[in-house]
């Protein structure tokens, strides 16, 4: 959230998560949380999940909006 890394707490429920913003006092309702992107590379997410990036991407599901950004 912003420049702060915050942990996911509890369990993933369907397509909802809860994050602990205790270490991000600047966080406000409506702020965006980056899960995969510029600051959090796909391979880092996959490593934490003990898998590969391809599996993470193919598991996202069809309900998520996708935005492709060129080089």
């Amino acid at each position: 959230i912003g420049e702060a890394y915050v942990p996911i707490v509890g369990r993933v429920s369907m397509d909802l998560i809860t994050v602990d913003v205790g270490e991000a006092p600047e966080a406000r309702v409506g702020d965006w949380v980056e899960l995969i992107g510029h600051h959090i590379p796909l391979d880092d997410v996959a490593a934490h999940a003990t898998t590969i990036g391809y599996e993470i991407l193919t598991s996202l599901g069809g309900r998520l909006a996708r935005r492709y950004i060129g080089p």
Side-chain angles (χ1 to χ4, degrees):
I1 299 175
E3 297 295 319
Y5 287 87
V6 298
I8 295 174
V9 294
R11 295 185 180 267
V12 175
S13 175
M14 297 296 285
D15 56 357
L16 299 174
I17 62 169
T18 302
V19 295
D20 179 355
V21 296
E23 297 299 320
E26 72 283 355
R28 299 290 178 257
V29 172
D31 284 353
W32 286 84
V33 176
E34 181 179 317
L35 301 176
I36 301 170
H38 180 72
H39 297 98
I40 304 174
L42 174 61
D43 289 335
D44 290 357
V45 174
H48 284 287
T50 63
T51 188
I52 60 173
Y54 180 81
E55 184 175 2
I56 298 292
L57 291 178
T58 57
S59 298
L60 292 177
R63 291 182 9 175
L64 296 174
R66 283 148 171 84
R67 183 176 63 172
Y68 299 94
I69 301 173

